[in-house]
Amino acid sequence: MGAQRTEAVDVGSRNKVSRTGRPPSSPRMEQYALPLNTVMVGDCVAELSKLPDASVDLVFADPPYNLQLEGALTRPDQSLVDAVDDDWDKFASFEAYDHFTRAWLLSVRRVMKPNATLWVIGSYHNIFRVGAILQDLGFWILNDVVWRKANPMPNFRGRRFTNAHETMIWASKGPDAKGYTFHYDALKAGNEDLQVRSDWYLPLCTGGERLKDAEGRKLHPTQKPEALLARVLMSSTNPGDVVLDPFFGSGTTGAVARRLGRNFVGVERDRTYADAALARIAAVEPLPPDALQAPPEKRSEPRIPFMSVVEAGLLAPGAVLRDERGRHQAVVRADGTLALGNLIGSIHKIGALAQGLPACNGWTFWHVDGPKGLQPIDALRKTLREGMALA
């Protein structure tokens, strides 16, 4: 990459390159305070060297895909397809691309907090090489997520399947990384109480969301849809977290971060892209805090034994519990166990035995009559937790 002037541009306020993939030979630059909500204009690896160690909560990387296009691509009517043929996507060889990938992955690994995670997106041209290098460097893959495109570009030559998806790798810094952010319960609640799958069906970036230049052409050829970034950020960050995007492009990461109450740090070598991204982000209206705060994860809530529900007087010994359909009944005992005929045990064990199953969540299986009809005993546990929070 050619040398170029480095500068940082705050959200409030082109050059032709040859990709060799050689890691930077210059010594590591002096670090300075984390430049929040800023686009750093310059080479990715050089700019990342200025950021403090262990300073970001999430990395979203959309690196060059090294598409290896051969000649122009035309539609059946002979019109030219606006494909990705920019110099920033061209590398001398696969080896050069691997050197480049290793360099930027090492750079982002250094600035990630111990519990930070990394998302990297790519196509079949590059994602397998990225994934292998990522594992070689010690990252631990948590998921691969397939973005299924609702409106993919057709395969005009008719010699391959239509390429209708891209792949994202989600990874922690290592197999022993603990406490990384994942809003499992919130995602499930927003998905009609079903676990969110690893295939996401979302459209390409089109319409008013697509940035255009003065001639009405796409400003950036690979602009990602905001819905994709929103799902990434809502799943694996919290309001106030710092999101790093080392290939900032048209600024989708920054726009979504601003809307969702997150901070961002962007790195982009092309001044035209950086300026357009800043203008786009400045026009974003942040959502109110009450629309952003994720509910507490169930696994982080204080443990409430069933005996505490009895001791608090929310259920009296001798009360009868039944399942939602009324097929099974059990009696509450004074010691917080249940009796099902001659069988005595916990709410979970008795629930499992009643159904002939190896396991059962007794909090949701057993119900009790209340002012509003039959309700799961989990509602009583919730009442106790709310009282603890007030105290």
Side-chain angles (χ1 to χ4, degrees):
M1 302 177 186
Q4 62 185 72
R5 184 167 59 93
T6 294
E7 52 187 313
V9 187
D10 190 86
V11 68
S13 50
R14 60 192 113 211
N15 53 343
K16 191 168 184 177
V17 298
S18 174
R19 294 282 196 176
T20 64
R22 289 192 299 269
S25 57
S26 57
R28 185 163 148 188
M29 300 181 187
E30 182 180 355
Q31 296 179 25
Y32 55 82
L34 195 65
L36 294 180
N37 305 316
T38 295
V39 180
M40 305 171 71
V41 180
D43 172 78
C44 163
V45 174
E47 296 306 304
L48 289 174
S49 71
K50 302 175 184 178
L51 301 182
D53 294 346
S55 56
V56 305
D57 300 286
L58 185 86
V59 177
F60 180 84
D62 184 7
Y65 286 10
N66 191 24
L67 294 180
Q68 311 127 48
L69 293 180
E70 299 179 359
L73 181 62
T74 58
R75 298 181 178 86
D77 63 2
Q78 300 306 306
S79 61
L80 191 66
V81 175
D82 187 12
V84 181
D85 56 0
D86 303 77
D87 289 308
W88 51 256
D89 192 61
K90 297 176 181 177
F91 291 80
S93 64
F94 286 129
E95 182 182 11
Y97 187 80
D98 292 348
H99 282 310
F100 164 76
T101 299
R102 185 171 285 103
W104 74 257
L105 278 173
L106 284 170
S107 297
V108 299
R109 183 179 175 82
R110 180 187 63 80
V111 301
M112 291 170 64
K113 295 178 181 178
N115 62 341
T117 55
L118 161 74
W119 290 80
V120 57
I121 188 170
S123 67
Y124 70 88
H125 304 87
N126 72 322
I127 197 63
F128 303 110
R129 308 187 77 85
V130 172
I133 295 170
L134 187 146
Q135 289 181 310
D136 288 344
L137 296 179
F139 288 93
W140 187 256
I141 296 177
L142 301 169
N143 276 113
D144 65 327
V145 175
V146 173
W147 167 30
R148 294 175 54 218
K149 300 175 182 178
N151 49 345
M153 180 184 294
N155 184 279
F156 294 109
R157 290 173 178 162
R159 296 182 179 180
R160 302 184 185 183
F161 296 107
T162 298
N163 186 23
H165 76 279
E166 293 183 27
T167 300
M168 293 187 291
I169 296 174
W170 182 39
S172 63
K173 290 187 73 172
D176 299 324
K178 306 295 183 183
Y180 59 84
T181 299
F182 180 53
H183 294 296
Y184 170 84
D185 292 321
L187 290 167
K188 184 177 177 182
N191 195 43
E192 298 184 357
D193 290 324
L194 297 174
Q195 291 184 341
V196 174
R197 294 159 43 119
S198 61
D199 54 333
W200 298 358
Y201 187 65
L202 297 167
L204 292 167
C205 178
T206 56
E209 186 180 317
R210 169 69 75 171
L211 299 189
K212 302 290 181 64
D213 62 16
E215 284 73 41
R217 297 172 299 191
K218 291 187 295 186
L219 180 73
H220 195 290
T222 64
Q223 181 178 337
K224 296 300 183 287
E226 292 188 6
L228 183 72
L229 268 296
R231 190 173 294 186
V232 167
L233 266 58
M234 287 190 293
S235 69
S236 49
T237 65
N238 297 301
D241 279 357
V242 178
V243 181
L244 169 67
D245 187 335
F247 307 99
F248 205 62
S250 59
T252 302
T253 300
V256 174
R258 179 173 169 84
R259 180 171 293 113
L260 297 180
R262 277 69 168 167
N263 296 295
F264 72 87
V265 176
V267 181
E268 174 52 51
R269 66 175 301 124
D270 189 297
R271 158 63 65 184
T272 300
Y273 292 159
D275 287 345
L278 288 167
R280 172 189 184 184
I281 296 166
V284 171
E285 187 70 28
L287 293 172
D290 58 356
L292 298 175
Q293 197 62 45
E297 298 292 324
K298 291 182 179 179
R299 64 192 64 173
S300 67
E301 294 178 326
R303 182 178 177 275
I304 305 290
F306 181 65
M307 183 170 61
S308 297
V309 174
V310 178
E311 292 172 340
L314 298 178
L315 265 180
V320 175
L321 305 183
R322 55 179 58 87
D323 68 294
E324 190 173 17
R325 298 183 182 179
R327 296 171 299 179
H328 309 286
Q329 293 187 359
V331 177
V332 177
R333 289 164 43 90
D335 59 1
T337 60
L338 298 186
L340 180 67
N342 294 327
L343 301 174
I344 295 175
S346 70
I347 57 173
H348 311 297
K349 180 179 179 180
I350 296 301
L353 289 172
Q355 302 172 85
L357 298 175
C360 168
N361 182 347
W363 290 108
T364 56
F365 178 73
W366 294 113
H367 289 62
V368 64
D369 287 316
K372 297 182 180 179
L374 205 62
Q375 64 175 351
I377 58 174
D378 197 31
L380 305 179
R381 180 171 62 165
K382 181 179 179 182
T383 298
L384 269 186
R385 282 178 172 153
E386 290 173 348
M388 292 170 63
L390 290 174

mmCIF file of all heavy atoms in Angstrom, residues 1 82 110 121 142 169 260 291 354 375:
data_model
loop_
_atom_site.group_PDB
_atom_site.id
_atom_site.type_symbol
_atom_site.label_atom_id
_atom_site.label_comp_id
_atom_site.label_asym_id
_atom_site.label_seq_id
_atom_site.Cartn_x
_atom_site.Cartn_y
_atom_site.Cartn_z
ATOM 1 N N MET A 1 0.845 -1.180 0.000
ATOM 2 C CA MET A 1 0.000 0.000 0.000
ATOM 3 C C MET A 1 0.886 1.237 0.000
ATOM 4 O O MET A 1 1.884 1.293 0.720
ATOM 5 C CB MET A 1 -0.896 0.014 1.232
ATOM 6 C CG MET A 1 -1.789 -1.211 1.337
ATOM 7 S SD MET A 1 -2.755 -1.174 2.839
ATOM 8 C CE MET A 1 -3.517 -2.777 2.728
ATOM 9 N N ASP A 82 -22.527 -3.383 -12.813
ATOM 10 C CA ASP A 82 -21.667 -2.563 -11.955
ATOM 11 C C ASP A 82 -21.036 -3.464 -10.893
ATOM 12 O O ASP A 82 -21.449 -3.484 -9.736
ATOM 13 C CB ASP A 82 -22.482 -1.443 -11.308
ATOM 14 C CG ASP A 82 -21.599 -0.461 -10.543
ATOM 15 O OD1 ASP A 82 -20.368 -0.516 -10.709
ATOM 16 O OD2 ASP A 82 -22.147 0.352 -9.765
ATOM 17 N N ARG A 110 -5.346 -7.247 19.060
ATOM 18 C CA ARG A 110 -4.686 -6.482 20.121
ATOM 19 C C ARG A 110 -5.616 -5.473 20.782
ATOM 20 O O ARG A 110 -5.574 -5.276 21.993
ATOM 21 C CB ARG A 110 -3.450 -5.752 19.551
ATOM 22 C CG ARG A 110 -2.702 -4.914 20.591
ATOM 23 C CD ARG A 110 -1.604 -4.096 19.948
ATOM 24 N NE ARG A 110 -2.126 -3.133 19.000
ATOM 25 C CZ ARG A 110 -2.654 -1.961 19.345
ATOM 26 N NH1 ARG A 110 -2.765 -1.612 20.608
ATOM 27 N NH2 ARG A 110 -3.087 -1.129 18.413
ATOM 28 N N ILE A 121 -17.250 -10.670 7.657
ATOM 29 C CA ILE A 121 -18.143 -11.114 6.595
ATOM 30 C C ILE A 121 -17.356 -11.319 5.307
ATOM 31 O O ILE A 121 -16.371 -10.620 5.041
ATOM 32 C CB ILE A 121 -19.282 -10.089 6.387
ATOM 33 C CG1 ILE A 121 -20.326 -10.635 5.410
ATOM 34 C CG2 ILE A 121 -18.756 -8.733 5.935
ATOM 35 C CD1 ILE A 121 -21.600 -9.797 5.343
ATOM 36 N N LEU A 142 -17.418 -18.963 17.301
ATOM 37 C CA LEU A 142 -18.661 -19.197 18.044
ATOM 38 C C LEU A 142 -19.781 -19.640 17.110
ATOM 39 O O LEU A 142 -20.576 -20.513 17.451
ATOM 40 C CB LEU A 142 -19.075 -17.924 18.789
ATOM 41 C CG LEU A 142 -18.054 -17.387 19.804
ATOM 42 C CD1 LEU A 142 -18.459 -16.000 20.275
ATOM 43 C CD2 LEU A 142 -17.923 -18.333 20.985
ATOM 44 N N ILE A 169 -18.481 -14.880 10.106
ATOM 45 C CA ILE A 169 -17.896 -15.649 11.199
ATOM 46 C C ILE A 169 -17.953 -14.794 12.457
ATOM 47 O O ILE A 169 -17.555 -13.629 12.443
ATOM 48 C CB ILE A 169 -16.439 -16.036 10.899
ATOM 49 C CG1 ILE A 169 -16.375 -16.973 9.682
ATOM 50 C CG2 ILE A 169 -15.790 -16.698 12.107
ATOM 51 C CD1 ILE A 169 -14.965 -17.281 9.222
ATOM 52 N N LEU A 260 -28.398 3.073 17.511
ATOM 53 C CA LEU A 260 -28.619 2.136 18.613
ATOM 54 C C LEU A 260 -27.883 2.515 19.899
ATOM 55 O O LEU A 260 -27.792 1.706 20.816
ATOM 56 C CB LEU A 260 -28.207 0.729 18.188
ATOM 57 C CG LEU A 260 -28.996 0.112 17.032
ATOM 58 C CD1 LEU A 260 -28.497 -1.289 16.715
ATOM 59 C CD2 LEU A 260 -30.495 0.076 17.344
ATOM 60 N N ALA A 291 -35.916 2.518 24.280
ATOM 61 C CA ALA A 291 -36.126 1.621 23.141
ATOM 62 C C ALA A 291 -34.919 0.722 22.888
ATOM 63 O O ALA A 291 -34.957 -0.135 22.007
ATOM 64 C CB ALA A 291 -36.425 2.432 21.878
ATOM 65 N N ALA A 354 -43.933 -36.993 36.178
ATOM 66 C CA ALA A 354 -45.335 -36.959 35.774
ATOM 67 C C ALA A 354 -45.494 -37.187 34.278
ATOM 68 O O ALA A 354 -46.458 -37.806 33.820
ATOM 69 C CB ALA A 354 -45.968 -35.629 36.180
ATOM 70 N N GLN A 375 -51.927 -19.740 36.159
ATOM 71 C CA GLN A 375 -50.668 -19.081 35.811
ATOM 72 C C GLN A 375 -49.501 -19.970 36.213
ATOM 73 O O GLN A 375 -49.578 -20.731 37.183
ATOM 74 C CB GLN A 375 -50.535 -17.725 36.504
ATOM 75 C CG GLN A 375 -50.459 -17.818 38.021
ATOM 76 C CD GLN A 375 -50.197 -16.476 38.686
ATOM 77 O OE1 GLN A 375 -49.907 -15.495 38.007
ATOM 78 N NE2 GLN A 375 -50.292 -16.428 39.998
#
